[in-house]
Amino acid sequence: MQSDTLLHVANFSTLFVCMVLKFPQIFALVRAKSPSGISLNSVLLELTGFIIFVTYQMYYDYPPPTYLEYPILIAQDVILLLLILHYNGSLRLSLLYALLLVGGWRLLTVERWIIDLAMSLCTFISAASKLAQLQCMWSSKDAGQVSALTWAMGTYTCIARIYTTTVTTGDMQVMWNVARSERGESHKKAVLDASVFNGDKSGL
């Protein structure tokens, strides 16, 4: 009974946190009116990973509470992507990206081996997304739009998801990808702190 209660708390707290997970980053981007410090490639790769992740869990009929946050995260990433394109003056490319993402999503469920292969590649997609963001922050020396609050909330949801996946499905592939996601967020935060520190130091 106690474990069921903890599972429900973990599921719904993750869902609620994810409802606002990208808001600090989105608001910071709107205030700055510049995508400086945010990698377009990172957002595209993260969006791709989220689409694969939720499609995989739906394909295998996993309990909806274990993945309901992903459609919300996808919507927030789409908003972030549109803002980046808008402030870059490249909003016309949004249609091309939409066609590629929707076409790729439809392709995932054509054959079982395709969705399994895509899921196995999610770790590399997540790592590439983090690497692209770290590279962007390092080269621009600007972590202004990368929110530490977003990192903290993301870390919590990753830990909660490791627990809920262990209890409900025990899918090692899902757990591995979630764990890698949490590790990537930690690396991003470390470089974020270093970038901000170096920026402050250079201004002294």
Side-chain angles (χ1 to χ4, degrees), residues 76-161:
Q76 292 178 63
D77 259 356
V78 167
I79 293 171
L80 196 58
L81 175 62
L82 291 174
L83 286 171
I84 292 172
L85 293 174
H86 171 66
Y87 291 124
N88 273 342
S90 306
L91 195 57
R92 64 186 180 278
L93 292 176
S94 60
L95 180 59
L96 174 62
Y97 289 134
L99 290 174
L100 289 173
L101 289 169
V102 172
W105 171 64
R106 297 292 295 175
L107 179 64
L108 286 173
T109 54
V110 171
E111 296 285 348
R112 178 174 176 174
W113 68 266
I114 298 177
I115 186 64
D116 287 341
L117 176 62
M119 188 61 184
S120 67
L121 293 174
C122 255
T123 296
F124 301 102
I125 294 172
S126 176
S129 171
K130 301 300 185 295
L131 181 61
Q133 180 56 52
L134 292 173
Q135 196 171 31
C136 178
M137 287 162 46
W138 186 261
S139 61
S140 68
K141 301 298 181 187
D142 184 1
Q145 275 67 269
V146 181
S147 170
L149 178 59
T150 299
W151 167 82
M153 292 191 296
T155 300
Y156 167 76
T157 59
C158 285
I159 294 171
R161 268 293 160 250

Side-chain angles (χ1 to χ4, degrees), residues 2-204:
Q2 186 176 359
S3 61
D4 287 342
T5 302
L6 184 57
L7 179 62
H8 288 315
V9 169
N11 275 327
F12 287 106
S13 63
T14 298
L15 180 61
F16 291 139
V17 169
C18 285
M19 284 181 179
V20 296
L21 182 62
K22 299 282 185 176
F23 281 15
Q25 195 172 15
I26 290 171
F27 292 153
L29 180 55
V30 170
R31 282 196 304 269
K33 298 187 184 303
S34 168
S36 177
I38 301 180
S39 168
L40 173 62
N41 290 334
S42 175
V43 174
L44 286 170
L45 286 167
E46 183 177 66
L47 191 53
T48 301
F50 285 161
I51 290 171
I52 293 172
F53 212 78
V54 70
T55 305
Y56 176 87
Q57 301 208 56
M58 291 174 67
Y59 185 86
Y60 284 104
D61 292 323
Y62 285 165
T66 63
Y67 62 81
L68 275 180
E69 73 271 17
Y70 283 96
I72 298 170
L73 290 172
I74 289 170
Q76 292 178 63
D77 259 356
V78 167
I79 293 171
L80 196 58
L81 175 62
L82 291 174
L83 286 171
I84 292 172
L85 293 174
H86 171 66
Y87 291 124
N88 273 342
S90 306
L91 195 57
R92 64 186 180 278
L93 292 176
S94 60
L95 180 59
L96 174 62
Y97 289 134
L99 290 174
L100 289 173
L101 289 169
V102 172
W105 171 64
R106 297 292 295 175
L107 179 64
L108 286 173
T109 54
V110 171
E111 296 285 348
R112 178 174 176 174
W113 68 266
I114 298 177
I115 186 64
D116 287 341
L117 176 62
M119 188 61 184
S120 67
L121 293 174
C122 255
T123 296
F124 301 102
I125 294 172
S126 176
S129 171
K130 301 300 185 295
L131 181 61
Q133 180 56 52
L134 292 173
Q135 196 171 31
C136 178
M137 287 162 46
W138 186 261
S139 61
S140 68
K141 301 298 181 187
D142 184 1
Q145 275 67 269
V146 181
S147 170
L149 178 59
T150 299
W151 167 82
M153 292 191 296
T155 300
Y156 167 76
T157 59
C158 285
I159 294 171
R161 268 293 160 250
I162 291 172
Y163 169 74
T164 59
T165 303
T166 302
V167 173
T168 54
T169 65
D171 190 316
M172 293 302 297
Q173 202 167 22
V174 171
M175 282 192 286
W176 171 248
N177 280 287
V178 171
R180 290 291 298 175
S181 174
E182 192 277 333
R183 186 179 176 187
E185 290 296 333
S186 298
H187 288 172
K188 183 193 289 186
K189 180 62 169 59
V191 176
L192 185 156
D193 291 339
S195 176
V196 172
F197 174 77
N198 288 335
D200 290 343
K201 186 176 178 181
S202 62
L204 290 176

